[in-house]
Amino acid sequence: MADSTFLQLEEASDFSFQNLPFGVFSTANKPIPRIGIAIGNWIMDLSELDCFSGPEMAKQSNVFREGELNAFMGLGRNAWHETRQTVQRVLSSAEGYLRDNGHLQKRTLINQDDAIMHVPARIGDFTDFSASKRHAENDRIMFTDKSQRILPNWDYMPVAYHSRASSVVVSGTDIHRPNGQYANEDGSVDSGPVFGPTKKLDFEMEIGALIGTGNALSQPISVDSADSHVFGFVLLNDWSARDLQSWEWNPLGPFLSKSFATTISPWVVTAAALEPFLCDPICLQDPQPLPYLRSKSIKTYDINLTTSLQTEGQTEVHYSSSVISQSNYKVMYWTLAQQIAHHTSNGCNLLPGDLIGSGTVSGPTHYSSGSLSELSERGTKPITLVDGQRRAFLHDGDEVIIRGSFNICNQNLMEEKDKLHLILLLGWCEDKSVRIGFGECRGRVLHHRQHSPPPFP
């Protein structure tokens, strides 16, 4: 099979021939959502292809006509692998099936600008973990005003909370500032809380994993087999209202401060595409995890992550100029395999389409913090944006854009923003190396919605 495609792709495209992420899209002339694959600026409509003739997919290609990835993901790794091989063959420069058929190209290749993207899967459950020790330590400061010491259980198990699946939205969806209860400005418990729009709206830069094949009830997934249950990955912004969170988080953890919205990117980058970017985690796990969390080979992924903040009315600037945070997924203390093993250790059953949030990806430096509350030190030290405006928390009209990519050029986490400019503008594809990206996870903050007055005084 050729290692290149007959399509003309931009060298810096996130959606290279080696990537081929899956997504769900529709178009104005065909509004029915269906499954496609991104390559360059194109979407290949899998529902229009009749080339799936292998033993796994010959009788299963109807799954590509569905408006969600769940059925396809539930077929398992052999079906995923065969589909990827078929798509690579069809798109390769050595294969004439699509290359030499202009009529088929018009039916199957859609410009991404002409497509409407949808949430790629029906998400039955959404679990969000805390896996960055730096973020966990910062959380203790933000919500307790005490020392950085995290709770003893954090070092022994991947902690998480069960979030809201119904409010997971696709990139580009506007987010209304949520209302809720929070403590009075004087911080006095005796004076009681107030109800109103959050004053401390924040983002959280995360990676999300979509479960492919699940497990039967009461049958745990072992840490060494966990990766085989993962179909792929998306970028994730777990929007957070920090004043609501501070008031409500004891004794049962986040509720309304998180459940109002979570944004994910539309394209699911498969685990198969990411295999070349497996790496050792940066963090040493000490103390040693309990036996059920010990793996024969602890691995994670080298994923570069950046967050950009653009203000309302801001003159169009290059993405790199508005970047306020850069981190890397490999800084996480707990791996995805350990998170899945722990999640199912009590017999909990995962299902195709379940979403696993990595937790905020905060690294060892201030600039690698994965949330605005960390960057601004709980709002006490607002950051200065490229247009001179200052932010302690998000304002109405602000747009948060998270991007993620891989490249064989391995970059270190850096503190100074000038160095980040060098990475973003000069560090990619200099040697025409493989690039795999996620696209964008984008969301804009809108004014809060007014609550209707009560019917009686």
Side-chain angles (χ1 to χ4, degrees):
M1 184 184 300
D3 60 0
S4 62
T5 177
F6 67 89
L7 295 172
Q8 297 297 312
L9 308 182
E10 294 181 7
E11 193 174 64
S13 172
D14 278 356
F15 307 125
S16 63
F17 183 60
Q18 292 76 19
N19 190 350
L20 305 180
F22 288 79
V24 173
F25 75 101
S26 61
T27 53
N29 63 350
K30 189 177 179 181
I32 300 172
R34 65 258 193 211
I35 294 173
I37 276 182
I39 179 163
N41 294 323
W42 303 97
I43 298 173
M44 187 166 75
D45 187 344
L46 298 186
S47 71
E48 292 285 349
L49 297 177
D50 60 0
C51 56
F52 298 101
S53 56
E56 298 291 333
M57 295 302 300
K59 297 182 179 180
Q60 300 287 354
S61 61
N62 60 305
V63 297
F64 299 128
R65 296 184 178 91
E66 299 196 11
E68 56 196 28
L69 284 166
N70 296 60
F72 174 60
M73 294 191 297
L75 295 177
R77 294 185 87 184
N78 290 340
W80 310 339
H81 178 70
E82 183 179 290
T83 299
R84 180 174 169 83
Q85 284 193 318
T86 300
V87 169
Q88 285 184 320
R89 174 175 55 81
V90 166
L91 287 170
S92 75
S93 55
E95 173 67 40
Y97 170 79
L98 186 60
R99 182 197 63 199
D100 301 336
N101 190 332
H103 177 68
L104 185 59
Q105 287 184 32
K106 289 181 180 179
R107 283 187 12 237
T108 60
L109 295 176
I110 293 110
N111 192 300
Q112 289 197 32
D113 291 338
D114 297 328
I116 300 167
M117 300 306 300
H118 303 271
V119 175
R122 183 182 71 257
I123 298 170
D125 283 295
F126 170 30
T127 305
D128 200 19
F129 280 86
S130 171
S132 161
K133 180 166 278 193
R134 180 62 177 261
H135 180 70
E137 291 169 346
N138 289 337
D139 262 357
R140 294 296 293 169
I141 298 172
M142 283 192 286
F143 299 123
T144 66
D145 284 326
K146 297 178 182 177
S147 70
Q148 289 191 15
R149 177 168 172 75
I150 56 180
L151 296 176
N153 62 353
W154 200 96
D155 287 327
Y156 287 93
M157 66 179 184
V159 298
Y161 73 96
H162 190 259
S163 195
R164 185 75 184 172
S166 64
S167 54
V168 176
V169 298
V170 74
S171 175
T173 304
D174 291 335
I175 306 300
H176 284 272
R177 182 176 297 273
N179 292 289
Q181 283 191 30
Y182 48 88
N184 245 317
E185 300 233 346
D186 61 9
S188 170
V189 176
D190 295 334
S191 59
V194 296
F195 181 88
T198 177
K199 297 179 181 179
K200 297 182 178 181
L201 185 59
D202 199 359
F203 69 86
E204 288 188 338
M205 178 173 66
E206 301 189 26
I207 291 289
L210 282 171
I211 296 297
T213 52
N215 58 303
L217 184 67
S218 79
Q219 294 293 323
I221 296 173
S222 72
V223 68
D224 288 316
S225 66
D227 288 337
S228 67
H229 292 263
V230 177
F231 174 72
F233 299 83
V234 293
L235 301 174
L236 188 152
N237 180 357
D238 194 33
W239 301 90
S240 301
R242 299 303 186 190
D243 40 7
L244 276 63
Q245 188 174 356
S246 296
W247 175 248
E248 74 179 5
W249 85 311
N250 279 323
L252 294 179
F255 182 32
L256 300 186
S257 58
K258 298 278 193 174
S259 63
F260 61 95
T262 300
T263 303
I264 62 173
S265 53
W267 294 107
V268 185
V269 179
T270 64
L274 304 189
E275 284 184 3
F277 304 96
L278 283 167
C279 66
D280 296 324
I282 290 177
C283 295
L284 174 68
Q285 293 186 342
D286 182 25
Q288 186 181 38
L290 296 177
Y292 78 101
L293 293 174
R294 296 177 199 165
S295 175
K296 296 175 183 176
S297 177
I298 297 178
K299 293 292 182 181
T300 188
Y301 293 99
D302 187 358
I303 306 176
N304 298 302
L305 294 167
T306 60
T307 297
S308 166
L309 177 56
Q310 298 182 2
T311 61
E312 186 174 27
Q314 178 179 322
T315 304
E316 188 68 25
V317 297
H318 193 281
Y319 175 86
S320 63
S321 299
S322 57
V323 167
I324 59 173
S325 172
Q326 180 201 12
S327 193
N328 191 294
Y329 183 58
K330 65 186 176 184
V331 305
M332 304 301 261
Y333 185 89
W334 295 106
T335 68
L336 176 60
Q338 290 173 317
Q339 291 171 336
I340 292 173
H342 182 66
H343 198 319
T344 62
S345 62
N346 67 342
C348 173
N349 56 321
L350 300 179
L351 298 172
D354 281 356
L355 178 63
I356 306 294
S358 65
T360 306
V361 183
S362 292
T365 65
H366 180 73
Y367 189 51
S368 61
S369 298
S371 67
L372 188 51
S373 53
E374 292 174 270
L375 290 166
S376 68
E377 299 184 25
R378 291 187 297 169
T380 62
K381 297 180 180 179
I383 64 171
T384 302
L385 305 179
V386 66
D387 61 358
Q389 295 191 52
R390 289 162 65 80
R391 288 291 186 273
F393 293 98
L394 297 173
H395 291 193
D396 291 352
D398 286 351
E399 189 166 31
V400 177
I401 309 165
I402 300 174
R403 293 183 64 89
S405 61
F406 305 77
N407 192 279
I408 64 169
C409 304
N410 193 15
Q411 302 290 351
N412 295 321
L413 295 177
M414 296 184 179
E415 179 71 35
E416 294 84 358
K417 192 170 183 178
D418 287 344
K419 292 183 179 179
L420 176 66
H421 286 172
L422 181 63
I423 293 172
L424 290 174
L425 298 180
L426 303 177
W428 306 116
C429 304
E430 294 259 329
D431 59 354
K432 298 184 180 180
S433 58
V434 174
R435 178 183 175 91
I436 290 181
F438 289 82
E440 292 183 342
C441 179
R442 177 188 291 258
R444 182 179 55 171
V445 179
L446 298 185
H447 193 67
H448 69 280
R449 294 188 186 275
Q450 295 288 344
H451 271 247
S452 300
F456 303 105

